Amino acid sequence: MLNYVSRNDSIREESQPVTPERETDRELSELERESVEYFVSFAQMMGFPKSIGQIYGLLFMSFEPIPVDVVIEKLGISKGSASQGLNLLRDLGAVKALHRDGDRRGFFQADFDVTRIVRHFLDEKLLPRLTNGEDRLARMQSIAKATGLENSVQEVAEVRLQALQKWQNRGRRLLPLIRRFFRL
Amino acid sequence: MLNYVSRNDSIREESQPVTPERETDRELSELERESVEYFVSFAQMMGFPKSIGQIYGLLFMSFEPIPVDVVIEKLGISKGSASQGLNLLRDLGAVKALHRDGDRRGFFQADFDVTRIVRHFLDEKLLPRLTNGEDRLARMQSIAKATGLENSVQEVAEVRLQALQKWQNRGRRLLPLIRRFFRL
DNA sequence: TCTAAAGTTCATTTCTATTTGAACATTCCG
DNA sequence: CGGAATGTTCAAATAGAAATGAACTTTAGA
């Protein structure tokens, strides 16, 4: 949390005790640690990698925007993970990129509304699976109807596919229900 | 599909043309292949390993109960996977174990009602995560209230945690909604 | 223009979940 | 019993996902 000033190591030559850059600023506070764990679990539920949850969890509990290098140090993750993770989060709209005058680094701030993340999950993860299931089911139904199967077998297959269809339909109808429920 | 007779290789000495054990019986029919893929996808959505989906998919489209060795041959999976997978499915109630007189092998049959699988998902996968989230959130709230934080920081933290609480609550209320929707 | 900081990319490594298969246990039947 | 068929277990192999980090590109400002 708090204040991440650009560290122009070159200028400050072991002089003033200017906000002496306490070691703890580079470590997670108890609150940050809990937030990180909370969102790691959440991210995994949504099918995102751990690092995404870590980054969002950190930003969520950060009092002000954080530059990438601080994200890296605090979470102990690599430059690559941080860069990719932040870009993904930005694309999801879960995180906003800002910049500050006199600082070349990009800063990031969490969007505290998880709406976009949930919507992305529904649209990009759940919906495709549902659709995929519908396609496959339709294909099975046409195979079952096609000639070439014993009558008894065909009948059994059709009964089962019908039962499956019922569930598939329920799943499909659940989606808008969830959307309405979460108002998104 | 069809007829899996105990193969007592010892007795049938290259004599009668008794249901000549066509090669195709050991391979997946088109319908079975689709069913397997369908349930592999479904299983993965529910957080189960692929093999669970394969096995269930095969049994779902099988006209009659199948013995373990046929599951192994048709799916090309190992004895271990088949054994463990079938036991898990049996524990979930997704599959029923039977035995046939004059055959030492155990036979398995799919329960065509996916209710149990979905219920297991809700109870064992979703609910624990929700509860875990609630615990962590409560912990964060008590940390935030505790002394030791700047007033401004504390206030910001509390506002954010409140927003999070709102989502956590929604998630919690969604669960019974889903249950009602699926009638389980 | 040149340099160093910042950021990106992606082949390689690391980590984790799943599967395998061989050893072991059990059961059925001669 | 004896032993073959069946089923279980779990250490080790494998595959797939994610993270790393070094090479590369871009940018700012001296």
Side-chain angles (χ1 to χ4, degrees):
Chain A
M1 237 121 143
L2 302 182
N3 249 323
Y4 297 111
V5 186
S6 182
R7 321 114 314 136
N8 27 11
D9 299 331
S10 45
I11 284 172
R12 185 211 309 146
E13 28 209 16
E14 78 268 324
S15 49
Q16 298 94 20
V18 267
T19 325
E21 186 124 295
R22 292 170 301 139
E23 180 57 28
T24 86
D25 285 353
R26 309 272 123 174
E27 277 169 16
L28 295 178
S29 71
E30 204 181 348
L31 208 45
E32 285 169 330
R33 205 164 34 244
E34 289 286 345
S35 175
V36 165
E37 282 172 28
Y38 182 96
F39 283 105
V40 164
S41 169
F42 180 72
Q44 285 174 335
M45 189 159 64
M46 298 276 141
F48 290 109
K50 187 176 150 187
S51 63
I52 296 295
Q54 290 180 283
I55 296 170
Y56 187 80
L58 174 61
L59 294 180
F60 187 88
M61 265 306 153
S62 281
F63 190 41
E64 28 169 62
I66 297 190
V68 183
D69 59 307
V70 173
V71 171
I72 291 170
E73 284 179 56
K74 284 213 161 202
L75 294 175
I77 64 179
S78 68
K79 220 153 89 105
S81 280
S83 172
Q84 290 180 177
L86 283 164
N87 287 339
L88 172 58
L89 284 167
R90 181 171 33 62
D91 293 347
L92 293 186
V95 139
K96 205 166 28 183
L98 332 154
H99 70 93
R100 296 189 154 181
D101 292 349
D103 198 326
R104 262 177 78 185
R105 298 173 298 171
F107 285 71
F108 291 87
Q109 184 171 38
D111 182 332
F112 306 120
D113 187 357
V114 273
T115 298
R116 295 157 189 282
I117 301 178
V118 177
R119 186 185 295 125
H120 181 271
F121 171 72
L122 294 179
D123 290 344
E124 306 295 323
K125 309 249 157 118
L126 260 191
L127 189 59
R129 284 185 173 259
L130 264 172
T131 308
N132 173 39
E134 280 163 3
D135 292 349
R136 258 192 236 290
L137 184 46
R139 215 171 316 140
M140 284 193 270
Q141 276 160 340
S142 78
I143 295 172
K145 260 197 266 303
T147 53
L149 293 174
E150 271 183 60
N151 272 1
S152 59
V153 173
Q154 175 167 344
E155 197 184 328
V156 170
E158 278 178 4
V159 168
R160 288 179 194 184
L161 289 175
Q162 228 168 295
L164 202 51
Q165 178 91 65
K166 198 184 73 189
W167 282 93
Q168 181 80 46
N169 290 344
R170 280 194 190 169
R172 168 61 82 177
R173 277 181 292 134
L174 181 62
L175 206 63
L177 195 80
I178 294 177
R179 273 191 221 284
R180 230 174 306 128
F181 186 73
F182 282 129
R183 298 170 228 288
L184 43 88
Chain B
M1 240 123 143
L2 303 183
N3 248 324
Y4 297 111
V5 186
S6 183
R7 322 113 315 139
N8 26 12
D9 299 331
S10 46
I11 284 172
R12 185 209 312 146
E13 29 209 16
E14 76 271 326
S15 50
Q16 297 95 19
V18 267
T19 325
E21 185 124 295
R22 292 169 302 140
E23 180 58 28
T24 85
D25 286 353
R26 311 270 122 176
E27 276 168 18
L28 294 179
S29 73
E30 205 182 348
L31 207 46
E32 284 169 329
R33 206 165 31 246
E34 289 286 345
S35 175
V36 165
E37 281 171 29
Y38 182 96
F39 283 104
V40 164
S41 169
F42 180 73
Q44 284 174 337
M45 188 160 65
M46 298 275 137
F48 290 109
K50 188 176 150 189
S51 62
I52 295 297
Q54 289 179 284
I55 297 171
Y56 187 80
L58 174 61
L59 294 180
F60 187 88
M61 265 305 153
S62 280
F63 190 41
E64 27 169 63
I66 297 189
V68 183
D69 59 307
V70 173
V71 171
I72 291 170
E73 285 179 56
K74 285 213 160 201
L75 295 175
I77 64 180
S78 68
K79 218 150 87 100
S81 279
S83 172
Q84 289 180 179
L86 283 165
N87 287 339
L88 172 58
L89 284 166
R90 183 171 32 63
D91 293 348
L92 293 186
V95 138
K96 205 165 30 183
L98 335 150
H99 70 93
R100 295 189 154 180
D101 292 350
D103 198 326
R104 262 177 78 185
R105 299 173 298 172
F107 285 71
F108 290 88
Q109 184 172 37
D111 182 331
F112 305 121
D113 187 357
V114 274
T115 298
R116 296 156 188 280
I117 301 178
V118 177
R119 187 185 294 127
H120 180 271
F121 171 72
L122 295 179
D123 289 345
E124 306 296 323
K125 309 249 156 115
L126 259 192
L127 189 58
R129 282 184 175 261
L130 264 172
T131 308
N132 173 38
E134 281 163 2
D135 292 349
R136 257 192 237 290
L137 183 47
R139 215 170 317 139
M140 284 194 270
Q141 276 161 340
S142 77
I143 295 171
K145 259 197 267 303
T147 53
L149 294 174
E150 270 184 61
N151 273 1
S152 58
V153 173
Q154 174 167 345
E155 198 184 327
V156 170
E158 278 177 3
V159 168
R160 288 178 193 183
L161 290 174
Q162 228 168 295
L164 201 52
Q165 178 91 64
K166 198 184 73 188
W167 282 94
Q168 179 79 47
N169 290 344
R170 280 195 190 168
R172 169 59 83 177
R173 276 181 293 136
L174 180 62
L175 207 64
L177 194 81
I178 294 177
R179 273 190 220 282
R180 230 175 305 129
F181 186 75
F182 283 129
R183 298 172 229 288
L184 44 86

